[in-house]
Amino acid sequence: MNTPLSQIAYLEIASPDTSLSARFYTEKFGMRIVDQIDDTYYLRCWGDHHRYSLVISPGEDAALKTMAWRTTSAAALDEAVERIEAMGDVTGQWSDAGVSHGRSYSFNGPLGHNMTLLWDFEVYEADEEHRSVFPDRPEKRSSHGAAPRFLDHVTIAATDVKRFAEWYSKALGFRIMAFTELEEAPITVFGVLTTNEKSHDLGIVLDTSDTAGRVHHIAFWVDHPEDLVRTADLMTENGVPIEYGPSIHGIGEQHYLYFRDPSTLRVELNSGGYRNYVPDWEARTWKPSQGSNNFFRNWNMPDSMMEAFPAAAGKTATEQGASPELTEELLNPWSTTTDAKVTHR
Ligand SMILES: [Fe+2]
């Protein structure tokens, strides 16, 4: 699939206390603030080639305000916008400039998620203190906190996983790599899309809430799986409970570790994984029992992993599948007290 996108560029998240969140991401997680405008913070990982990859701005609850992708050229930005508007069900808005980037186009997708597309994004130039001895590195390696190398992916929550996947694949050329469906019925609870050789830079979990545009987690990369064990140790020592992991996902074969930031938003640290360059790859369908989420098939996910953001009545599925309670709701949507608004595919 021909995609006009080159990579995930940055995520903007909402926090009720941006100063507290920024302190977590700098002091405990290991990112660095490069800009602050009023209560909005712009942060980078040491290996991010662009100036920043995370924006923390004020909001009542933890939420994803936008997920930004960079296109492959200025012309590709125009092509991407033409393709989006040709879909016929969404319209967006151009903005002349943003912080450290040129014109951009933002739109709310058909399931309520805001996406920003841009081409002109400031390349990071390290000062003397942060300059690497290696020409390819934007900045010298950090060993502070988790020391994430770069932004890896975002996983959103949507009421129709397949509809989300097919819309973004058609509009923007994301390759659809895999789905997870329930053991009991062909109800899709998880999916992964990618613009690159990894299994995903955009994940989708099934959401049974009435709140559109929710997010499940944001994820950053480290070079070595051992870094996850070290991070789990450091987070535990510094008062940040580990929610799940470290272990390995079946889909993508990536090592994972999950914990929460002070706003309660879930953060994932990733490493490893396969590379897949097959241009006409056909999405595989997994069952949870095949280890879609837990490669070793020996470890159930805690119920807290079904929370998405902002908080809303109704749970999400997870990469692993659905809890017994949610499975019952999905299989018999009219027999439970929960008001499930799910489109089954
Ligand atoms: Fe993830």
Side-chain angles (χ1 to χ4, degrees):
M1 179 73 73
N2 169 33
T3 177
L5 307 182
S6 65
Q7 70 173 105
I8 190 168
Y10 69 84
L11 301 174
E12 180 171 354
I13 58 173
S15 169
D17 186 338
T18 59
S19 170
L20 186 65
S21 289
R23 272 187 18 229
F24 166 82
Y25 283 101
T26 53
E27 294 173 9
K28 294 184 177 174
F29 191 52
M31 298 180 77
R32 204 154 58 76
I33 296 168
V34 288
D35 288 303
Q36 181 186 350
I37 301 173
D38 299 324
D39 292 329
T40 297
Y41 295 84
Y42 298 78
L43 297 97
R44 58 174 286 100
C45 303
W46 65 268
D48 282 321
H49 287 284
H50 302 114
R51 184 166 173 78
Y52 57 84
S53 59
L54 183 67
V55 182
I56 307 170
S57 62
E60 277 185 24
D61 294 304
L64 178 68
K65 288 191 173 181
T66 196
M67 46 181 170
W69 260 260
R70 192 177 180 209
T71 60
T72 55
S73 68
L77 175 57
D78 292 320
E79 179 204 326
V81 173
E82 278 172 28
R83 286 170 61 163
I84 289 161
E85 296 194 340
M87 296 294 284
D89 52 357
V90 303
T91 46
Q93 289 182 326
W94 283 100
S95 167
D96 287 341
V99 173
S100 301
H101 67 76
R103 70 184 188 128
S104 63
Y105 182 86
S106 292
F107 66 97
N108 275 335
L111 290 150
H113 303 84
N114 191 271
M115 181 178 265
T116 298
L117 303 176
L118 66 151
W119 157 248
D120 180 18
F121 195 14
E122 183 182 327
V123 171
Y124 176 71
E125 288 282 347
D127 57 21
E128 199 57 45
E129 179 191 350
H130 295 98
R131 190 164 299 141
S132 172
V133 297
F134 300 111
D136 286 353
R137 283 191 181 171
E139 183 177 333
K140 70 169 69 166
R141 177 181 288 276
S142 166
S143 60
H144 178 62
R149 184 161 187 154
F150 45 68
L151 175 63
D152 188 77
H153 67 265
V154 59
T155 293
I156 58 83
T159 51
D160 188 333
V161 172
K162 283 206 164 173
R163 183 174 164 221
F164 185 101
E166 285 159 10
W167 194 94
Y168 284 85
S169 176
K170 185 173 179 191
L172 291 167
F174 280 92
R175 281 192 301 157
I176 305 174
M177 303 303 285
F179 292 113
T180 303
E181 65 181 33
L182 295 181
E183 311 282 343
E184 299 85 350
I187 297 171
T188 303
V189 294
F190 180 64
V192 279
L193 307 179
T194 192
T195 60
N196 57 48
E197 81 285 2
K198 293 185 295 186
S199 65
H200 63 300
D201 49 12
L202 180 54
I204 316 146
V205 295
L206 182 63
D207 191 351
T208 64
S209 82
D210 286 333
T211 305
R214 295 209 296 163
V215 62
H216 188 263
H217 63 265
I218 64 174
F220 296 83
W221 175 266
V222 285
D223 288 348
H224 308 291
E226 301 79 35
D227 295 334
L228 302 188
V229 177
R230 176 180 167 275
T231 299
D233 182 334
L234 277 175
M235 290 292 171
T236 304
E237 284 276 30
N238 287 283
V240 180
I242 298 304
E243 187 174 23
Y244 189 50
S247 189
I248 306 175
H249 290 311
I251 294 179
E253 297 184 26
Q254 285 178 308
H255 294 246
Y256 63 83
L257 174 70
Y258 297 92
F259 41 88
R260 305 289 192 95
D261 80 9
S263 77
T264 73
L265 180 66
R266 182 178 299 107
V267 182
E268 181 184 9
L269 202 59
N270 267 149
S271 188
Y274 58 62
R275 299 176 181 185
N276 179 321
Y277 301 91
V278 181
D280 53 355
W281 177 259
E282 301 228 349
R284 305 301 199 255
T285 299
W286 291 63
K287 297 284 189 185
S289 61
Q290 294 174 305
S292 53
N293 181 55
N294 186 298
F295 190 82
F296 304 110
R297 310 174 186 184
N298 64 352
W299 194 7
N300 285 326
M301 196 178 257
D303 282 353
S304 65
M305 287 293 289
M306 289 184 292
E307 294 169 10
F309 312 91
K315 293 183 171 178
T316 67
T318 66
E319 286 124 315
Q320 183 163 284
S323 66
E325 180 191 12
L326 181 58
T327 299
E328 174 62 25
E329 181 181 308
L330 292 167
L331 293 172
N332 303 292
W334 315 118
S335 69
T336 62
T337 52
T338 313
D339 188 16
K341 298 278 196 302
V342 177
T343 308
H344 293 174
R345 293 286 299 265

